[in-house]
Amino acid sequence: MPLIKIDDKEIEVEKGITVLQAAIDERIEIPYYCYHPALSIVGSCRMCLVEIEGMPKLQVSCNTTIGELPPERKKDGKYDMIVRTQTEIVKRERENVLEFLLLNHPLDCPVCDQAGECYLQDYSYKYGRAHSRFLEEKRVRKNEYLGSNVIINHNRCIMCTRCVRFTREISGTNELFVQARGDVSKISIFEDKSLDNMLAGNVIDICPVGALLSTDYIHKNRFWNLEAKKSICTDCSVGCNILVYSQNNRIYRLNARENHNVNGYFICDIGRYGFHRYEDAEKVTSPLIRSDGGFKPISWEGALKEIYEQFSMSMSGEKQQIVGIASPFHTNESLFMFGRLMNNIFKDKSIIGKLPFIEDYEIHFDSGFRISKDRSPNRKGLLDFCPNLEDEILQKVKAGEVRLCYALDDGVDRKLDEEWESFFKSQRFLVVQTYAMTPLAKLAHLILLGPSPMEREGTMTNDQGRIQWLNPSVSLTNKTRPDWEIIMEFMNTVGKRELKYTSVNEVNLEMGERFPDYRGRTFFKIGYQGLPKKNITTSRPSEGRQAIQ
Amino acid sequence: MDLIDFIIICIKVVLVFAATMLAVMGMIYAERRISAFIQNRLGPNRVGPKGLFQPLADGLKFLMKEDIIPTAVNKPLYLLAPAMLLIPALMTFAVIPFGSSLTLFGRQISLQVANINIGVLYILALTSVGVYGIVLAGWSSNSKYPLLGGLRSSAQLISYELSMGLAIVAIVLMTGSLRLNDIVSSQQGHLFSWYVFKQPLAFLIFLIAVYAETNRLPFDLAEAEQELVGGYHTEYSSMKFAMFFMAEYANMITAAAFTVTLFFGGWDIPFVDEAAMGNWGALLSGIAFILKTAFFLFLYIWVRWTFPRFRYDQLMNLGWKVMLPLALLNIFITGGILTIIS
Amino acid sequence: MATVVTSYEPTFWDKLYIPALFQGLMLTLKHMFKKKVTIQYPDEKHVPPEGYRGLHRLNKYPDGRIRCVACEMCAAACPAHCIHIVPGPSPWEEGKERYPVRFDIDLLRCIFCGFCEMACPEKAIELTEIYDFADYSREGLWIDKAGLLEIYELTKDKNFYDNSNEE
C-alpha cells in the first residue's frame, strides 16, 4: 500500500487510484469539473491541478495515478508521493484556469437554472479572481435542443465532456460529440439522432454548469427555494434512489441519488419525469360514497360506519365472501396491515387477490444500469406479506359467490380490462382505497382517501430483495390518512381490535416481529441507502466511488 | 329685594355661566393653537374658520363616545366625582366683580353675581371643595394610577393652599376686608396702587400656588401622563371625562380672574375714573377685566408649554421649604410696615 | 495625577431660577411667531427626496421589455418574504430568456428596507417616492406585475408628487 501525503495528511491508499480519488476519499477538497466517478477520465477542465513533489509542472490530480516507489527513492524516506493542494502556485493556477473557463461564459446566473448548485459559481467564489481581463467580444450562440427533454446553452458550456462520455459509456448510445476545435468547439448531436435515450435526463444532472437544461424544469424555480427530500422512485421494481425537490408541496423535479447497491449515480427518464402523472390525475379530496350514480363526500367517521355496516355482518357468513385486492404499489407496512386484516380478522371468510402485475419491456444498459420489466415497485413485499395470494382470483371468484370487496388501488397506472371491470361491477359493495379517480375507483361504492405515491411513507422491497425507505416528499393534504392507518381503522371497526399505532414506524416494528425477514429493518437501521432482507446474503457489493459533486 | 332684583340676578347668573362655558371652549381652542404655535405647528385649523369650531367638534365627539363604567368602580362616588369638580369650579366665579356698576332704567346694577363680604374665603373654600372631586375620582375608580393621582393631588393642594392663603392674608391685611369689591376699589387710582406693585412677593407666591391649585403644568402631577397614564381620570370616558376637562379650564378661568382681582386692580383701568363715565365706564371696565384675565389665561398656556413638570419631592420642597417661609415673612413685613404707618 | 474637573458653580441669581424661567418663556414666545413647519397633507403633499423608499415599481427597457428576469434575488434578499415570483420563458426575442410571469408584492408584509433594490442585478425593481397607498382591503395591498409596471409609468419621468411641471 503506497503511503502518500496530501498537504499535511498522511494517507495510505490502494495502488493505482488517482490523487483526486484519494483526496475525495479523505475529504480533502480539490476542485474539479470533468471528473466523474462513473465516467472515464479525460483531464480536460484543468481545474484539479496540484503540485506534486518531484514533478516539474503542476499535474491534473484526476489523471495522476499513485504507484509505489522503491524504498531508496521514497520522498522524505517514507512517502510514495507528496501532493500539495494549497500552495501559492496552485492557487494562482486555479485562478487562471477559472479565468479561461469564464472567457466566453455569459455570467447570466440570474436567469440560469443551475444557479445555486453550480460548481462554476462555487469555485469562482472560492478560487476565482473576481474579474476578467478579457476585453474582446464574447462568443454568443443560440440555445439548441439536443433531445426532446434537453436544451443546451452553448455559452455556459465549459467543455468538460461529461455528457459526451455519459452517452458513450453509460447509456452506450453515442448521441453527443464535440464538434470542431478550439474556441468554436461545442457539444453537438448528429442530425439524425437526437439525445432521446432512456437515460438522457442524467446529462442534465451531471453537467457541472448550467449548460444542459431540462425542458421540464427550465425557468420554473430557483434552486434555493426547493426542499430536497431523499426518497426512492416507485416507477419500477428497481427502486432507484432519488432526491425529490419540492416547494410548497409541489414537486418541481427529481434528481438521481447515489446508491451503489441499486442504481449507481443515475436514474432513468421514466422515473425522472414520472411525477407529472400524479399532477395530471384527477384527485380525490375527501372520502366519497356513491349516491345517485355519482359520488358525494363523506366524513371518515361516516365512511367507517358504512364499512362496519357492510362488513361486520359477513363475519359469520359463508367462506370466501370477502375479496381483498392487494396492490404492489403500496408500502410493506400497509400490505402487512392488509394481510393481517384479511388473514387474522376475516380468516377463512376472505380471499386475497391482486390485479395482474403491470409489466413492460426490460431495458439493460451495458454499464449495468437497468430498468425492470416489473413496473410495480413492491412486488416482493406484496408476495411476502400476503403469502396466500390467489393468482387466479377471477376463476376462483366466479366459482364461489363473492359479495364484498376491499381493494387497494394501484393508482393512475392501472387500466382495467373488461373481465376485471365486470368482476368489480358484480361486487355488492366495493371499497377502494385510492388517491385519484382511477377506473377502479369509478366503480367503487365507497372511496377511502389514501395518500398518493409522493405522500406515502414506509418501506419498499425491490426486486433484489433490498428494503428501502420511501420518504414522503410532500405532506398529506388535509383529509388524507396514511394507508396503514386506514387499514388499522378498518380492523378496529370490523374486527373490534384496539390497535393504536401512531406512526408508520410502530407498524414497521410490529411487522419485524411477525416477519423475520424484516426484523430490525427500521428507518434508523436502513437509512437512506437501504438494507437487504434478512435471508438474502449475497447482494451486489458497493462498487462505485464517492463523488462530492 | 324685589322681584326685579331677583330677575336681574338670575340673568347675571345665566350670563356669567354662559360666558364661563364659552371661555372654556375658547380656552380649549387657544390651548391647542398656542401649543401648536410654540412647537412651530399649525394646530387645529380644519373645523370652521381657522379651526374655531374645533372645541364644538370635540364636545360632539365626547357626547357620542361610549360611556364606559368599569365594573370595579364605586359607582355612586364614581358618578359624583366629575360633578364635584365642575360645580365648584363654576360657582367660584359668582363673587368675582367683572366690572364697575351699570345704571339701567334708574337701577344700579353691579357687575358681579354676589357681592358677599367674605368673597376671598368663599373662593378659597370652593377651590378646596374642588379637590374632593379629584380625590373621589381617584379613589372610586378602584385602580392604582387614578388612586396615585388623587393622592398626589390632595397632598399638593394641602401644601400650596397654605402658601396661597398666607399670600392673600397680606392683601387682606392691607385692604382690611375680605370683600372682593373692597379689594378692587382699594386698588383704584394710579397704576402703582395695584397690589402687584405693593406686594410683589405675595403675587409671586400666589401665582405659583395658583398653578399648583389648578393642577396645571408644571404642577400637574395628579394627571402626569408619562407616569400615571392619565392620573385621576384614567378610568373616565365620554362626557364624564369631558367634565373633568371643562372643570380644569373653568378652574383656570376663575383662578385667572381671581389673580386679576387681587393683584391687578380687577376691572380697574389706571388713571381712569370709570364711575364718572357712567355706563361706558362699566363697559370699558368689563373689557379691561376680560383683557387682563385673558392675559393670565395666555400665561397659563404659555407656561405649560415652556416648563417641564416638577418631580414630586421638588414640588414638596418648593411648597414647604420655600414658599411657606416666604409667605410668612411677607406677612411679617406687611404687618410691620402697616403697624409703622398707622 | 487626578484631573480636576471644575463644574459651573451656580450664583445666587442662578439659584433664584426666575431669570432662567423668563429665558424659557421668551424662547417659546419667539417660536410662536416663527414659520410653521406643518405640511397640510391632503391639500399639499410632501415631496420626498431622492432615495426615498416608498412603493415599488418594475422598470422597463425603452423598447417596452420588462427588465426583470425573475432571478428571485429580491425574493431571496427580502427579510419579510413579501415578494412572490413565478418565472417563465420570456416572450421577447431579444434580451434575457427568462421573465416574470407573475410578480406579486405583499405590501402589508413589506418593510420597505430596499434590499430588493440592492439585490437586483438588472436594476428592475426599484422603490419609488410614493408613500400614500393606503387601502381598505388586504387584497388592495397585494400589488401585482401590472400594478408595478403602472407605477413605473407614473414615476419614470418625474417625481410623483412634484406638480411644478403642470400648473
Side-chain angles (χ1 to χ4, degrees):
Chain A
M1 295 276 270
L3 181 71
I4 66 162
K5 189 171 147 183
I6 303 181
D7 295 337
D8 293 329
K9 218 166 182 179
E10 285 181 17
I11 311 158
E12 220 173 330
V13 294
E14 279 171 57
K15 194 173 172 182
I17 70 162
T18 65
V19 175
L20 182 61
Q21 280 165 354
I24 290 170
D25 289 348
E26 282 300 312
R27 297 272 167 213
I28 295 166
E29 191 175 3
I30 298 174
Y32 61 88
Y33 290 115
C34 66
Y35 171 77
H36 191 281
L39 304 174
S40 63
I41 289 161
V42 292
S44 70
C45 72
R46 316 309 286 180
M47 197 60 211
C48 61
L49 288 171
V50 289
E51 197 181 348
I52 294 171
E53 206 172 288
M55 299 213 186
K57 291 206 279 186
L58 298 183
Q59 298 297 312
V60 279
S61 58
C62 67
N63 205 11
T64 306
T65 48
I66 299 164
E68 216 158 350
L69 292 174
E72 69 277 9
R73 284 178 57 205
K74 286 206 192 287
K75 312 277 178 196
D76 291 355
K78 55 178 179 175
Y79 301 118
D80 292 295
M81 191 181 270
I82 296 178
V83 181
R84 296 198 191 86
T85 69
Q86 300 297 328
T87 56
E88 273 311 306
I89 187 161
V90 173
K91 284 180 181 168
R92 210 171 60 232
E93 278 315 307
R94 282 174 188 163
E95 282 183 6
N96 293 340
V97 168
L98 272 170
E99 196 180 354
F100 275 119
L101 288 176
L102 292 173
L103 274 193
N104 283 312
H105 191 87
L107 301 173
D108 58 349
C109 301
V111 298
C112 178
D113 282 327
Q114 190 85 3
E117 51 181 346
C118 173
Y119 280 86
L120 210 50
Q121 274 187 331
D122 290 359
Y123 290 156
S124 296
Y125 181 71
K126 220 166 172 181
Y127 306 112
R129 37 178 310 135
H131 45 79
S132 172
R133 290 167 291 189
F134 183 68
L135 300 172
E136 289 75 13
E137 291 258 309
K138 291 196 178 197
R139 181 204 64 205
V140 180
R141 287 185 183 137
K142 288 254 176 212
N143 290 4
E144 281 177 57
Y145 276 88
L146 290 183
S148 52
N149 279 323
V150 184
I151 299 176
I152 185 162
N153 183 322
H154 291 296
N155 304 332
R156 294 177 191 151
C157 179
I158 57 167
M159 300 307 289
C160 68
T161 68
R162 270 186 183 187
C163 48
V164 174
R165 281 175 283 148
F166 178 84
T167 56
R168 284 181 189 160
E169 292 159 22
I170 307 295
S171 67
T173 44
N174 292 303
E175 289 104 341
L176 300 178
F177 70 106
V178 180
Q179 181 190 330
R181 312 237 160 200
D183 85 317
V184 291
S185 62
K186 64 175 188 180
I187 305 293
S188 198
I189 47 168
F190 296 108
E191 278 173 17
D192 57 343
K193 198 178 180 190
S194 62
L195 181 62
D196 273 326
N197 62 62
M198 291 306 282
L199 295 178
N202 288 304
V203 298
I204 302 155
D205 277 8
I206 60 171
C207 184
V209 297
L212 293 171
L213 302 160
S214 156
T215 50
D216 187 52
Y217 176 67
I218 190 167
H219 303 323
K220 281 272 175 65
N221 210 327
R222 306 305 319 240
F223 175 72
W224 54 85
N225 289 335
L226 300 173
E227 187 186 2
K229 286 264 179 64
K230 293 172 179 172
S231 187
I232 56 166
C233 175
T234 56
D235 284 344
C236 78
S237 59
V238 173
C240 293
N241 286 219
I242 53 169
L243 279 171
V244 184
Y245 288 92
S246 65
Q247 184 191 12
N248 295 336
N249 273 340
R250 189 185 150 194
I251 296 167
Y252 280 86
R253 65 169 194 191
L254 306 185
N255 274 11
R257 184 159 61 89
E258 246 180 275
N259 189 338
H260 298 298
N261 291 305
V262 183
N263 59 321
Y265 303 92
F266 308 112
I267 57 171
C268 70
D269 281 8
I270 300 171
R272 187 182 294 272
Y273 305 118
F275 67 94
H276 290 300
R277 301 203 305 277
Y278 310 115
E279 288 175 357
D280 301 340
E282 186 192 346
K283 294 263 164 57
V284 178
T285 53
S286 157
L288 299 172
I289 189 157
R290 182 173 288 279
S291 77
D292 310 330
F295 287 105
K296 76 164 198 257
I298 186 173
S299 68
W300 275 107
E301 291 73 23
L304 289 169
K305 199 165 155 242
E306 194 71 27
I307 286 170
Y308 178 74
E309 280 169 10
Q310 297 290 346
F311 281 79
S312 59
M313 296 188 296
S314 316
M315 294 292 286
S316 53
E318 56 196 88
K319 283 186 176 179
Q320 297 197 343
Q321 57 173 344
I322 297 169
V323 173
I325 301 291
S327 157
F329 283 80
H330 281 245
T331 59
N332 288 335
E333 282 75 10
S334 37
L335 291 171
F336 160 69
M337 293 295 280
F338 191 76
R340 272 174 90 185
L341 172 72
M342 289 298 157
N343 297 333
N344 299 1
I345 290 178
F346 295 138
K347 296 190 180 115
D348 59 347
K349 306 285 181 301
S350 71
I351 177 169
I352 305 181
K354 60 156 179 59
L355 288 157
F357 288 122
I358 299 174
E359 289 186 342
D360 213 327
Y361 51 93
E362 170 132 1
I363 305 173
H364 264 284
F365 291 92
D366 293 342
S367 56
F369 192 87
R370 76 196 162 87
I371 301 166
S372 169
K373 185 172 134 190
D374 181 7
R375 293 296 160 85
S376 43
N378 202 15
R379 184 198 280 209
K380 271 253 156 70
L382 174 64
L383 297 173
D384 280 346
F385 293 106
C386 304
N388 50 344
L389 197 68
E390 202 68 56
D391 275 339
E392 299 298 317
I393 185 97
L394 277 177
Q395 279 71 38
K396 281 268 176 190
V397 165
K398 269 176 193 158
E401 184 90 350
V402 174
R403 300 199 186 86
L404 299 170
C405 180
Y406 178 29
L408 299 180
D409 193 4
D410 289 345
V412 294
D413 300 322
R414 172 58 70 189
K415 311 275 180 289
L416 285 181
D417 58 19
E418 274 177 30
E419 210 176 353
W420 279 96
E421 201 164 313
S422 63
F423 164 74
F424 284 119
K425 271 183 183 160
S426 69
Q427 304 302 319
R428 201 187 71 200
F429 195 75
L430 172 64
V431 180
V432 175
Q433 186 167 322
T434 188
Y435 55 90
M437 267 296 170
T438 57
L440 174 56
K442 287 193 178 113
L443 302 174
H445 296 99
L446 179 68
I447 294 178
L448 302 175
L449 176 57
S452 74
M454 291 301 171
E455 297 166 341
R456 279 186 190 138
E457 183 168 21
T459 55
M460 291 270 185
T461 312
N462 77 354
D463 55 4
Q464 303 286 319
R466 193 176 186 82
I467 303 167
Q468 303 193 89
W469 195 266
L470 176 67
N471 213 13
S473 32
V474 294
S475 50
L476 289 180
T477 43
N478 47 5
K479 279 190 176 166
T480 317
R481 296 173 81 173
D483 288 316
W484 58 266
E485 191 181 312
I486 299 170
I487 302 167
M488 181 182 84
E489 292 294 342
F490 205 119
M491 289 164 85
N492 288 349
T493 312
V494 179
K496 303 266 186 308
R497 301 295 163 96
E498 287 186 349
L499 299 173
K500 284 201 176 64
Y501 300 123
T502 54
S503 74
V504 70
N505 297 306
E506 288 175 27
V507 184
N508 182 288
L509 277 178
E510 179 71 29
M511 184 173 91
E513 292 291 316
R514 299 192 185 206
F515 289 85
D517 284 357
Y518 289 85
R519 179 161 297 155
R521 294 296 182 253
T522 61
F523 173 71
F524 291 106
K525 272 276 175 58
I526 67 178
Y528 289 113
Q529 296 278 313
L531 274 181
K533 275 180 6 185
K534 274 276 158 95
N535 58 356
I536 292 182
T537 46
T538 53
S539 75
R540 276 195 294 160
S542 166
E543 282 164 359
R545 292 220 150 258
Q546 269 186 324
I548 290 177
Q549 284 183 10
Chain B
M1 183 161 131
D2 56 16
L3 185 67
I4 295 172
D5 276 336
F6 182 73
I7 291 169
I8 287 171
I9 286 174
C10 285
I11 290 170
K12 279 198 283 195
V13 166
V14 171
L15 276 180
V16 167
F17 176 75
T20 317
M21 293 313 281
L22 204 67
V24 165
M25 273 168 50
M27 272 302 285
I28 292 171
Y29 173 74
E31 173 100 48
R32 295 185 59 176
R33 282 292 266 194
I34 291 169
S35 66
F37 285 155
I38 286 174
Q39 294 164 353
N40 291 1
R41 293 184 291 118
L42 284 173
N45 63 348
R46 295 266 148 191
V47 192
K50 296 269 169 201
L52 268 171
F53 297 156
Q54 187 67 38
L56 277 179
D58 284 353
L60 209 64
K61 182 197 76 176
F62 275 126
L63 272 174
M64 311 235 269
K65 283 217 157 188
E66 187 191 354
D67 194 359
I68 300 164
I69 299 176
T71 40
V73 300
N74 184 324
K75 215 168 163 188
L77 291 180
Y78 179 81
L79 296 175
L80 183 66
M84 279 284 278
L85 196 59
L86 183 58
I87 291 169
L90 293 171
M91 274 168 69
T92 321
F93 213 89
V95 294
I96 291 178
F98 49 90
S100 65
S101 56
L102 204 60
T103 315
L104 281 178
F105 312 111
R107 256 175 205 281
Q108 194 171 9
I109 306 162
S110 64
L111 293 179
Q112 187 182 20
V113 177
N115 183 9
I116 54 174
N117 56 3
I118 49 161
V120 173
L121 284 185
Y122 173 82
I123 287 175
L124 285 179
L126 277 181
T127 49
S128 306
V129 171
V131 80
Y132 278 100
I134 294 178
V135 175
L136 282 182
W139 180 80
S140 69
S141 290
N142 204 0
S143 163
K144 53 185 175 292
Y145 291 127
L147 182 65
L148 280 172
L151 284 175
R152 280 184 180 192
S153 176
S154 49
Q156 180 182 326
L157 277 166
I158 288 169
S159 319
Y160 281 77
E161 211 156 63
L162 208 58
S163 316
M164 185 168 88
L166 290 175
I168 295 171
V169 163
I171 308 282
V172 175
L173 276 176
M174 291 186 75
T175 318
S177 167
L178 290 169
R179 191 191 289 270
L180 285 171
N181 267 5
D182 293 346
I183 294 177
V184 171
S185 53
S186 72
Q187 296 181 69
Q188 270 168 359
H190 61 86
L191 185 64
F192 288 97
S193 59
W194 287 2
Y195 283 130
V196 66
F197 300 110
K198 290 180 181 167
Q199 290 282 356
L201 191 58
F203 169 66
L204 203 64
I205 292 165
F206 179 81
L207 192 70
I208 294 169
V210 109
Y211 275 87
E213 192 76 13
T214 49
N215 278 326
R216 282 292 285 190
L217 242 130
F219 300 100
D220 70 336
L221 282 96
E223 49 184 297
E225 296 91 352
Q226 292 87 341
E227 307 142 39
L228 299 183
V229 190
Y232 57 89
H233 54 57
T234 305
E235 304 291 346
Y236 283 87
S237 57
S238 182
M239 210 54 212
K240 285 206 279 294
F241 172 75
M243 278 167 84
F244 281 117
F245 212 68
M246 289 193 293
E248 190 187 323
Y249 284 97
N251 260 333
M252 276 162 61
I253 291 160
T254 319
F258 193 39
T259 316
V260 168
T261 309
L262 287 183
F263 291 99
F264 287 84
W267 43 261
D268 172 54
I269 308 169
F271 313 113
V272 175
D273 187 6
E274 292 88 356
M277 290 168 76
N279 286 352
W280 287 112
L283 195 65
L284 271 179
S285 66
I287 291 169
F289 178 81
I290 289 168
L291 284 177
K292 286 180 200 171
T293 313
F295 171 75
F296 276 96
L297 289 173
F298 170 71
L299 190 67
Y300 265 111
I301 297 167
W302 188 11
V303 164
R304 172 172 176 185
W305 295 100
T306 303
F307 300 132
R309 182 180 304 122
F310 274 82
R311 214 169 53 215
Y312 191 70
D313 60 322
Q314 292 170 334
L315 175 95
M316 284 297 153
N317 277 346
L318 182 70
W320 291 101
K321 291 184 184 169
V322 180
M323 301 227 314
L324 187 63
L326 278 178
L328 285 172
L329 184 72
N330 191 41
I331 292 173
F332 274 118
I333 294 169
T334 313
I337 291 172
L338 282 177
T339 317
I340 291 163
I341 290 172
S342 63
Chain C
M1 199 183 118
T3 329
V4 180
V5 180
T6 48
S7 60
Y8 177 71
E9 270 300 313
T11 61
F12 170 75
W13 203 236
D14 288 331
K15 279 183 182 167
L16 212 56
Y17 290 112
I18 290 173
L21 292 179
F22 270 101
Q23 266 179 17
L25 285 172
M26 283 303 128
L27 185 75
T28 47
L29 190 69
K30 206 167 73 194
H31 275 272
M32 235 181 275
F33 302 105
K34 276 204 172 162
K35 194 171 174 291
K36 304 298 174 240
V37 295
T38 308
I39 293 167
Q40 304 212 43
Y41 165 65
D43 300 339
E44 41 183 300
K45 284 183 174 170
H46 170 58
V47 181
E50 197 83 344
Y52 185 86
R53 301 196 303 261
L55 202 57
H56 317 67
R57 74 180 190 197
L58 266 185
N59 290 346
K60 287 181 184 174
Y61 285 108
D63 61 0
R65 280 180 295 130
I66 298 174
R67 291 187 85 109
C68 177
V69 296
C71 68
E72 300 190 33
M73 284 295 153
C74 46
C78 182
H81 301 303
C82 71
I83 304 178
H84 306 269
I85 299 171
V86 177
S90 155
W92 298 290
E93 211 33 56
E94 70 273 39
K96 297 286 193 315
E97 60 204 67
R98 191 180 166 112
Y99 111 121
V101 176
R102 291 186 58 181
F103 195 114
D104 302 328
I105 297 178
D106 186 351
L107 294 173
L108 286 171
R109 283 200 159 206
C110 179
I111 57 167
F112 300 96
C113 61
F115 282 9
C116 46
E117 194 176 0
M118 273 187 256
C120 186
E122 298 284 334
K123 293 192 171 59
I125 188 168
E126 266 180 7
L127 299 184
T128 64
E129 62 279 354
I130 301 175
Y131 53 78
D132 50 349
F133 44 86
D135 202 278
Y136 290 102
S137 67
R138 280 160 194 273
E139 293 73 32
L141 286 164
W142 179 278
I143 188 165
D144 60 0
K145 192 173 82 178
L148 290 164
L149 292 170
E150 199 178 305
I151 291 157
Y152 171 69
E153 297 300 335
L154 286 174
T155 55
K156 63 176 174 180
D157 300 324
K158 63 175 185 67
N159 193 309
F160 182 73
Y161 297 103
D162 191 4
N163 294 326
S164 54
N165 305 343
E166 296 172 13
E167 297 301 308

